[in-house]
Amino acid sequence: MSGTAAREARVLGIIETQRGKRPKFRDERITMAHGAGGKATGALIEGLLLPAFGSPALDVLGDAGVLDVGGATLALTTDSFVVTPIRFPGGSIGDLAVNGTVNDLAMSGARPVALTLSLILEEGLEAPALRAEVEAIAHAADTAGVAIVAGDTKVVERGHADMMYICTTGLGHVDPRAALSPGALAPGDRLLVSGPVGAHGTAIMLARGEFELDATIVSDTRSLWPAADALLEHAGPGLRCLRDATRGGVASVLNELARSSGVAMLVQEAAVPVDPAVAGAAELLGIDPLHVANEGVLVAAVAPEWAGAALAALQDVQEGSFARAADIGEVRTSPTGMVLVETGFGGRRVLDQLVGDPLPRIC
């Protein structure tokens, strides 16, 4: 082993050891980073919440809890949406609330059935703005094929909310074809993404007007059930796991799966689909598109013998436009729990989770 290779192996070994330790929650105060999907969120969940609330369904840390109820296998999930601004190119807080919860069910292999809806409204919210979100919620639910079966409304004093927050709970029926688990990945598995990454987070960033950038970028918010359904049908028992790449982006998903399964991953940077406008904005701001949030992009781990059929099926899904789905890398044996990216120059870099997110409150 050359000197350079030995140094690289030693550094990777140190990182591997540190990453193998269970996160601890030692912070004195909650910051925006704790809600951004990165390492701080992981420390809050695994260091404080899981020890208090742990259960067989919760300990899996899946997108939804899977329960056996009277012989039926059901998936249950809940989410809150606090995005600002509430309307942005390609979507709004209303359809985001529906699609986000529907997608958590779909990533558990569950066909979405029903949602509950809780609206927290700020005093002074204009009726046309509320009416627009109600229409967006109804349209997204109709598109996803789910019924809203219960709800609640609260109004808080002016200045105590940012126009409106939405909380949704989703119930789905786990498809009998699904045998998904974040701990099921094995060396040789292929890693698929369902489309270009980074659009949602970048669209929100530009909509806030905090940067002097002029680009037409729309959110990718959409229901992922049609894509999940196609993968369940065509990847068969080779479909190991599904995850939607929301806060923390594809990077967080891959790191979480690598840790859960005790494997490594190698991503081919050139194979990752990124729209030119998103890539340009990310480069100007010094952000890796793999760290930017999506609201309609999934990551699938598929056994190698099923990967070709899975990718073809994904690209053929008409409802939602997944034509640019791609095979971006593979699962490897070591270094355990780590994700490496092979760059266009032939080098490799570690793709880690961020502590927080470069852009909080994106969903």
Side-chain angles (χ1 to χ4, degrees), residues 78-83 93 97 101 120 165-169 247 363:
T78 190
D79 212 338
S80 301
F81 296 84
V82 295
V83 63
I93 191 172
T101 301
I120 300 174
Y165 301 148
I166 301 177
C167 303
T168 45
T169 295
R247 295 174 305 169
C363 63

Side-chain angles (χ1 to χ4, degrees), residues 247-335:
R247 295 174 305 169
V250 172
S252 283
V253 168
L254 295 181
N255 275 279
E256 290 168 5
L257 294 180
R259 283 184 55 200
S260 296
S261 292
V263 296
M265 296 179 182
L266 180 63
V267 173
Q268 301 296 328
E269 190 172 54
V272 179
V274 185
D275 284 332
V278 173
E283 184 174 356
L284 285 171
L285 297 168
I287 301 172
D288 187 337
L290 288 167
H291 284 125
V292 179
N294 314 273
E295 284 297 339
V297 174
L298 65 79
V299 176
V302 186
E305 63 270 28
W306 293 90
L311 181 59
L314 197 52
Q315 292 172 332
D316 198 42
V317 175
Q318 298 299 310
E319 187 181 349
S321 182
F322 299 95
R324 293 182 61 193
D327 182 331
I328 65 168
E330 65 179 2
V331 177
R332 294 196 168 185
T333 303
S334 64

Side-chain angles (χ1 to χ4, degrees), residues 159-198:
H160 287 215
D162 196 353
M163 295 183 72
M164 64 186 305
Y165 301 148
I166 301 177
C167 303
T168 45
T169 295
L171 180 69
H173 186 266
V174 177
D175 194 291
R177 298 168 295 178
L180 309 178
S181 170
L185 278 65
D189 289 352
R190 304 301 306 181
L191 302 169
L192 312 182
V193 295
S194 63
V197 305

Side-chain angles (χ1 to χ4, degrees), residues 15-343:
I15 298 174
E16 185 178 343
T17 300
Q18 292 299 317
R19 291 169 59 82
K21 298 178 180 177
R22 188 183 182 94
K24 295 181 179 178
F25 181 70
R26 293 171 169 162
D27 300 318
E28 294 295 325
R29 296 179 185 276
I30 292 299
T31 69
M32 295 301 290
H34 290 106
K39 289 182 178 178
T41 302
L44 174 64
I45 293 172
E46 296 184 52
L48 180 63
L49 303 183
L50 269 186
F53 307 137
S55 67
L58 193 60
D59 290 348
V60 177
L61 290 178
D63 287 303
V66 176
L67 310 167
D68 288 324
V69 181
T73 306
L74 304 177
L76 185 66
T77 188
T78 190
D79 212 338
S80 301
F81 296 84
V82 295
V83 63
T84 181
I86 65 170
R87 299 195 75 81
F88 44 84
S92 70
I93 191 172
D95 59 56
L96 205 60
V98 174
N99 290 334
T101 301
V102 163
N103 291 345
D104 282 345
L105 294 171
M107 296 304 97
S108 300
R111 181 183 294 276
V113 175
L115 299 179
T116 69
L117 175 71
S118 177
L119 300 175
I120 300 174
L121 309 177
E122 182 182 18
E123 178 188 22
L125 175 66
E126 295 182 356
L130 175 59
R131 187 171 292 109
E133 294 316 310
V134 170
E135 292 172 355
I137 291 167
H139 178 72
D142 183 60
T143 302
V146 294
I148 296 174
V149 298
D152 181 52
T153 303
K154 296 288 190 300
V155 178
V156 298
E157 294 88 346
R158 191 185 302 268
H160 287 215
D162 196 353
M163 295 183 72
M164 64 186 305
Y165 301 148
I166 301 177
C167 303
T168 45
T169 295
L171 180 69
H173 186 266
V174 177
D175 194 291
R177 298 168 295 178
L180 309 178
S181 170
L185 278 65
D189 289 352
R190 304 301 306 181
L191 302 169
L192 312 182
V193 295
S194 63
V197 305
H200 176 72
T202 311
I204 297 293
M205 175 178 61
L206 296 184
R208 289 179 184 173
E210 296 173 351
F211 304 99
E212 294 183 2
L213 295 175
D214 185 16
T216 302
I217 299 173
V218 299
S219 169
D220 53 27
T221 175
R222 63 169 71 90
S223 167
L224 288 170
W225 171 250
D229 188 32
L231 288 170
L232 289 169
E233 180 65 23
H234 294 278
L239 184 59
R240 312 282 199 200
C241 184
L242 296 173
R243 276 290 174 87
D244 54 342
T246 54
R247 295 174 305 169
V250 172
S252 283
V253 168
L254 295 181
N255 275 279
E256 290 168 5
L257 294 180
R259 283 184 55 200
S260 296
S261 292
V263 296
M265 296 179 182
L266 180 63
V267 173
Q268 301 296 328
E269 190 172 54
V272 179
V274 185
D275 284 332
V278 173
E283 184 174 356
L284 285 171
L285 297 168
I287 301 172
D288 187 337
L290 288 167
H291 284 125
V292 179
N294 314 273
E295 284 297 339
V297 174
L298 65 79
V299 176
V302 186
E305 63 270 28
W306 293 90
L311 181 59
L314 197 52
Q315 292 172 332
D316 198 42
V317 175
Q318 298 299 310
E319 187 181 349
S321 182
F322 299 95
R324 293 182 61 193
D327 182 331
I328 65 168
E330 65 179 2
V331 177
R332 294 196 168 185
T333 303
S334 64
T336 306
M338 291 183 62
V339 181
L340 303 178
V341 174
E342 192 159 274
T343 70

